[in-house]
Amino acid sequence: CCTSCCGPVVQFKLSDIGEGIMEVTVKEWYVKEGDKVSQFDSICEVQSDKASVTITSRYDGVIKKLYYDVDATALVGKPLVDIETESKEDVVETPAMAREEHTHQEIKGHKTQATPAVRRLAIENNIKLSEVVGTGKDGRILKEDIMNFLAKQTGAILPPAPVQEIQTPGPSPPSAAAPAGRPTSPSTLVKAPPPRTTPVFTGKDVTEPVKGFHKAMVKTMTAALKIPHFGYCDEVDLSRLVALRTELKPIAESRGVKLSYMPFFIKVRSKSMCSRGSPWWQASHNIGLAMDTSQGLLVPNVKNVQLLSVFEIAQELNRLQALGTAGQLGTAHLSGGTFTLSNIGSIGGTYAKPVILPPEVAIGALGKIQVLPRFGAGNQVVRAHIMNVSWSADHRVIDGATMCRFSNLWREYLENPAAMVLDLK
Amino acid sequence: MMLQLRRTLALLKGETGNQRARTGSSLPFLDSANNSSGLVLQSQSTDVYQNLALEDWIDAHVDLQQRGILLLWRNRPAVVIGRHQNPWSECNLPAMRKMGIALARRRSGGGTVFHDHGNLNLTFFASKKAYDRKRNLKVVTEALRRLRPNLDIRATDRFDILLNGHYKISGTASRLSRRSSYHHCTLLHSADRSALSTVLRPSCPGILSNATPSIPSPVANLIDHAPSLAWEELLEALVQQYNTEFGLSSVFTLVDPSNECVFPGVGNISTELRSWDWTFGRTPKFRVETLLELRDNHLPARCSAQLQMEVKGGQVESCRLDVPAGWLPLWLSRQLSDVLVGERFCPHRAAAAVTAMLRAEKGQFQSRLQNICEAVLAMMG
């Protein structure tokens, strides 16, 4: 406790809340012992007979003692908290039962909010409070506002005042449109150039224990990297698919579905997996999509892709994306996947080294689609839509040649979408 | 009409046309002699978050020292819990999700209510000095008595309004801030009572907490006992009675609570009210103690596991799962408890954590682990 702020400790009593109510239940504290509070800051929430009441501080200072625990019954007129005020002048002797109003100064019909210390400073310097713009909560005038006003008047060079964060709820549109760096009120920043000082780094490293979902992901990733991965990458010319999608997009939209490239990638993946005897032959092709959500990386899957058309896959993707954004994916969506595709290219990147999600045996990462020059028929340079794919596979189960054959089949379907029509079932 | 409203609100806020931070000042010519005109607002929105945000905005920005405001509003189906209540013990969250019924936590105290198009909400805004719930309810009871003198309408000590001495047709809640207050109440005109009884049931068994409990009462709609009472007729009578009771000649205006020009910053308030952190995260600390039924297709006998959880700020603070040793090894049930701690008490958040954990676990216990995971998630609503 510094000597400059050790003022008297004041008992802040719970004031009358009307209707003759004599006791309330303390429901939530907004402060704890040792916290600094300003006048008008919220201290706690109390409840009485279906009325919820916010109790605000009458003083500036430091909370020294809370008289009640949460759920305790507090009595009106009795002490609620002890506040150590900044100086003697800040103490306003008002009986708890009489008024809930705070110090005001009425000048020409304007009510201006300021603590007694600030008012005294204004009077001593012949400043009219109505001429000072308050930058505190609810337009309250703070000591800094007086100092800035003085500096402007006398042209004195003062140490730059910290920019006050204007806490009024809901700024009016013109000032809300101002970019963050530009001050909205010129009196909050002194225009004199500040003296050059070496920056002092006051940041601290914060260590946070890994909990919940992230802890589970740590375990998953650890298990994943025990799988011997091998990678295989390739380049796919999507020019024909891009044209096809452009044609089909409005038709899908007219049916209420947003059509991206993913439904094609997923359907083709399933078609390439169809041959029995391949290491990942499974009856159900539940293809997972890596989804970046506010919680982290979630992988919901589209069930039984082998039974769905491209349009139906697109529909299901839309639904899963909506659920993912709303944070409403459940265990049924998130489990049972047999293969995963990550469309990391939608954010950025070309080649990747994806990590297999156990208990699956392979994964694919799709880079961004770029327009690049390639040699076409007759050795002409043509515009091609090129996407890179990076597969990772479990080398205990899948060998390089198998991976290559599967990737080629996948690539051929995507480079010649018309060929898919032949194999439509 | 919008221009008139802006001017009216500007008068109340004490704006002089310059953009300056609000001081809550009143203009010199608004003296007490000129106090005869009131303000009655009707919201055009049926979005519960927008309407609650409007209430908040008026409470924070309008100078209520000289005059009060009456706000009339109604919502699309929604459950509204009180400031200090526990949503998991007050309403059936899975049923609400299926029926597309929203959940909102209001800023005022009191119990849980179901809102739909057949329920009228009235908010009486006044200065803290003029806060008088009895007088406000008198507006409602007198209006109803004038409309249908044959009905027995009475306000109780708990600020409910009862029809025929038995059926609750209105509940009350209020909020007091530094200088202002608002008192709002519901009025059941033609609400869907079957939906009401479906959703006002606990989602989670075994909750122990000090959150404000709701007190269930038998309810009735006004139209059950006065079938010819139209919605507009009711609104008109209430506005008239408000003017009579407070000696006013009110200006009636329709308002759009999403209009940022008239109500700057209201969008931020409704975003906050929609957030998980406000709706669920503000739940007072509670404890769950319940039994989970365990099932395994290979075993004929059923057994149960005991679950104890402490939830603070909507997050699981501690979790203890006692599973019979023969059913699941201790280290696996500990791992499950471990993964739940630090996550929100939410079946979706927990589902993500639990499915990530299940990926790493293979072998004989996978299906049992999945079964117990599902039981835990079902318990979370």
Side-chain angles (χ1 to χ4, degrees):
Chain A
C1 163
C2 57
T3 47
S4 60
C5 69
C6 281
V9 173
V10 178
Q11 275 187 343
F12 173 41
K13 298 190 178 114
L14 178 61
S15 54
D16 181 25
I17 59 169
E19 292 185 333
I21 290 168
M22 294 313 295
E23 54 182 47
V24 298
T25 312
V26 176
K27 290 311 266 186
E28 194 176 335
W29 283 107
Y30 295 122
V31 297
K32 52 186 191 300
E33 288 168 12
D35 279 352
K36 213 167 169 220
V37 287
S38 304
Q39 194 184 25
F40 314 140
D41 279 355
S42 297
I43 291 215
C44 66
E45 200 73 27
V46 301
Q47 185 171 247
S48 163
D49 201 16
K50 305 180 192 178
S52 186
V53 190
T54 308
I55 307 293
T56 54
S57 176
R58 216 176 283 138
Y59 314 105
D60 290 339
V62 175
I63 302 284
K64 277 310 201 195
K65 182 177 174 181
L66 303 180
Y67 280 79
Y68 301 101
D69 286 329
V70 169
D71 294 324
T73 305
L75 301 171
V76 172
K78 293 279 184 277
L80 186 66
V81 292
D82 280 347
I83 301 181
E84 185 186 277
T85 56
E86 279 169 7
S87 65
K88 272 205 190 128
E89 296 94 8
D90 278 340
V91 176
V92 177
E93 297 289 344
T94 47
M97 298 286 279
R99 58 174 191 141
E100 334 74 29
E101 301 304 321
H102 296 268
T103 18
H104 285 125
Q105 185 181 23
E106 300 229 20
I107 302 171
K108 292 185 184 166
H110 290 275
K111 282 191 187 142
T112 319
Q113 293 168 7
T115 60
V118 171
R119 282 192 294 133
R120 191 160 296 107
L121 191 63
I123 293 167
E124 283 167 8
N125 288 283
N126 276 321
I127 294 173
K128 287 190 181 141
L129 281 179
S130 58
E131 286 169 21
V132 181
V133 177
T135 59
K137 201 169 173 185
D138 293 334
R140 200 154 33 110
I141 297 174
L142 307 171
K143 270 184 199 152
E144 287 80 6
D145 299 325
I146 304 284
M147 301 304 284
N148 289 327
F149 186 85
L150 268 177
K152 261 175 65 186
Q153 291 225 301
T154 63
I157 298 173
L158 296 172
V163 176
Q164 294 295 336
E165 203 180 306
I166 297 172
Q167 282 169 347
T168 48
S172 33
S175 47
R182 211 185 303 154
T184 49
S185 163
S187 64
T188 55
L189 271 186
V190 175
K191 284 180 182 148
R196 240 190 108 82
T197 50
T198 43
V200 177
F201 180 67
T202 51
K204 263 170 78 174
D205 283 339
V206 175
T207 311
E208 260 183 44
V210 171
K211 290 189 280 196
F213 171 67
H214 295 283
K215 195 166 186 175
M217 278 308 277
V218 167
K219 287 207 170 81
T220 309
M221 286 298 128
T222 310
L225 287 180
K226 289 195 180 124
I227 303 170
H229 282 56
F230 83 91
Y232 178 94
C233 302
D234 205 354
E235 183 184 281
V236 188
D237 185 343
L238 291 180
S239 308
R240 287 199 183 123
L241 184 64
V242 168
L244 178 64
R245 184 197 157 230
T246 310
E247 243 188 82
L248 296 176
K249 203 170 157 208
I251 302 173
E253 262 166 24
S254 70
R255 294 192 208 167
V257 167
K258 217 175 139 199
L259 184 67
S260 63
Y261 293 107
M262 284 310 281
F264 296 100
F265 298 147
I266 293 169
K267 185 61 186 172
V268 169
R269 175 75 188 82
S270 163
K271 288 221 84 57
S272 335
M273 271 158 65
C274 266
S275 61
R276 271 192 194 242
S278 67
W280 45 62
W281 185 86
Q282 268 145 331
S284 295
H285 298 176
N286 302 335
I287 300 191
L289 268 305
M291 206 178 266
D292 180 32
T293 67
S294 56
Q295 198 181 353
L297 169 71
L298 295 184
V299 190
N301 56 84
V302 179
K303 303 267 191 282
N304 289 312
V305 173
Q306 76 278 11
L307 299 175
L308 300 176
S309 66
V310 170
F311 178 76
E312 284 164 341
I313 297 170
Q315 242 177 349
E316 183 59 9
L317 273 186
N318 280 185
R319 194 178 74 91
L320 289 172
Q321 262 147 3
L323 286 173
T325 315
Q328 287 187 3
L329 289 167
T331 38
H333 305 119
L334 296 170
S335 56
T338 53
F339 184 87
T340 298
L341 274 179
S342 163
N343 190 15
I344 189 73
S346 61
I347 306 173
T350 48
Y351 289 103
K353 196 179 159 192
V355 176
I356 299 168
L357 288 169
E360 295 163 22
V361 293
I363 183 170
L366 311 168
K368 61 179 181 238
I369 302 174
Q370 301 173 87
V371 178
L372 297 171
R374 286 288 179 273
F375 285 110
N379 283 333
Q380 302 287 334
V381 173
V382 293
R383 274 177 98 241
H385 294 263
I386 301 291
M387 181 182 76
N388 302 118
V389 60
S390 311
W391 307 109
S392 289
D394 183 340
H395 218 335
R396 300 170 296 189
V397 177
I398 302 169
D399 60 37
T402 311
M403 192 70 218
C404 174
R405 276 192 288 271
F406 151 73
S407 178
N408 286 345
L409 186 57
W410 187 81
R411 182 168 48 83
E412 272 154 31
Y413 271 131
L414 288 174
E415 287 184 344
N416 302 291
M420 271 201 276
V421 177
L422 274 181
D423 296 327
L424 262 180
K425 263 194 232 185
Chain B
M1 192 191 271
M2 201 44 75
L3 195 57
Q4 181 201 338
L5 173 63
R6 281 174 80 169
R7 272 203 219 108
T8 313
L9 282 171
L11 287 178
L12 292 172
K13 283 191 288 179
E15 274 175 0
T16 54
N18 304 323
Q19 297 296 351
R20 55 174 285 181
R22 276 165 203 92
T23 59
S25 59
S26 51
L27 293 172
F29 58 81
L30 278 178
D31 55 309
S32 50
N34 199 20
N35 220 2
S36 59
S37 63
L39 193 58
V40 175
L41 306 174
Q42 185 177 350
S43 171
Q44 289 173 308
S45 168
T46 52
D47 179 313
V48 64
Y49 306 106
Q50 280 182 354
N51 286 325
L52 288 173
L54 177 62
E55 270 188 332
D56 243 11
W57 191 96
I58 294 174
D59 186 50
H61 292 69
V62 178
D63 183 359
L64 298 163
Q65 301 309 310
Q66 302 297 329
R67 81 226 5 240
I69 295 179
L70 172 64
L71 171 68
L72 301 166
W73 46 295
R74 63 173 161 177
N75 299 314
R76 296 191 288 272
V79 170
V80 183
I81 58 173
R83 175 78 175 77
H84 308 288
Q85 290 203 294
N86 183 320
W88 289 281
S89 56
E90 293 298 332
C91 54
N92 187 342
L93 297 165
M96 284 165 64
R97 265 196 300 272
K98 266 196 202 116
M99 294 160 81
I101 295 178
L103 172 69
R105 179 189 296 271
R106 55 178 192 266
R107 308 258 200 217
S108 56
T112 301
V113 282
F114 174 72
H115 286 192
D116 71 7
H117 289 107
N119 168 65
L120 175 66
N121 298 305
L122 299 100
T123 310
F124 299 86
F125 294 90
S127 69
K128 211 158 158 184
K129 286 198 186 102
Y131 173 68
D132 189 343
R133 292 184 284 185
K134 252 197 191 134
R135 196 176 182 192
N136 297 335
L137 288 183
K138 208 172 143 206
V139 169
V140 182
T141 52
E142 282 301 301
L144 287 172
R145 274 187 211 127
R146 276 182 200 208
L147 279 173
R148 296 290 184 274
N150 57 309
L151 294 178
D152 171 17
I153 309 267
R154 259 178 278 174
T156 68
D157 292 336
R158 293 203 73 245
F159 305 108
D160 292 336
I161 298 181
L162 297 182
L163 172 63
N164 296 343
H166 180 57
Y167 297 106
K168 186 171 160 178
I169 56 166
S170 166
T172 266
S174 57
R175 172 148 181 75
L176 291 135
S177 313
R178 197 164 56 83
R179 298 177 69 202
S180 58
S181 73
Y182 64 80
H183 160 217
H184 51 204
C185 60
T186 52
L187 188 56
L188 289 174
H189 173 265
S190 48
D192 182 350
R193 284 179 36 207
S194 67
L196 193 153
S197 59
T198 308
V199 297
L200 294 186
R201 255 172 229 186
S203 311
C204 175
I207 289 187
L208 306 160
S209 89
N210 284 327
T212 315
S214 289
I215 297 170
S217 332
V219 295
N221 281 313
L222 280 168
I223 56 163
D224 292 341
H225 296 259
S228 60
L229 180 61
W231 182 267
E232 282 68 29
E233 203 188 334
L234 178 62
L235 254 65
E236 231 179 81
L238 287 164
V239 174
Q240 234 176 41
Q241 194 59 38
Y242 177 72
N243 284 330
T244 311
E245 177 63 44
F246 292 95
L248 307 166
S249 54
S250 299
V251 173
F252 179 91
T253 328
L254 286 173
V255 289
D256 173 11
S258 64
N259 190 332
E260 284 282 335
C261 297
V262 183
F263 309 110
V266 75
N268 288 339
I269 304 176
S270 69
T271 304
E272 202 208 328
L273 289 168
R274 261 176 241 269
S275 70
W276 190 95
D277 283 331
W278 171 259
T279 315
F280 292 96
R282 292 304 263 247
T283 308
K285 187 170 175 173
F286 67 97
R287 211 178 141 74
V288 180
E289 275 181 17
T290 188
L291 285 177
L292 303 171
E293 215 184 79
L294 305 174
R295 249 170 273 132
D296 183 335
N297 292 329
H298 304 291
L299 288 178
R302 283 194 189 168
C303 58
S304 52
Q306 203 189 43
L307 175 71
Q308 286 174 344
M309 261 187 185
E310 301 251 341
V311 181
K312 188 177 173 191
Q315 307 238 350
V316 178
E317 252 196 350
S318 76
C319 174
R320 194 197 148 109
L321 201 53
D322 285 320
V323 186
W327 207 80
L328 204 67
L330 189 61
W331 65 272
L332 257 184
S333 50
R334 281 231 176 100
Q335 208 173 69
L336 175 56
S337 303
D338 216 24
V339 120
L340 293 168
V341 171
E343 270 307 334
R344 288 182 181 173
F345 188 73
C346 162
H348 304 110
R349 287 279 170 132
V354 139
T355 43
M357 186 195 78
L358 281 170
R359 279 188 184 276
E361 293 307 324
K362 272 194 272 201
Q364 51 171 165
F365 295 114
Q366 227 220 0
S367 66
R368 285 192 189 176
L369 190 56
Q370 208 155 3
N371 177 235
I372 195 173
C373 285
E374 260 147 43
V376 171
L377 296 176
M379 184 257 330
M380 286 185 178

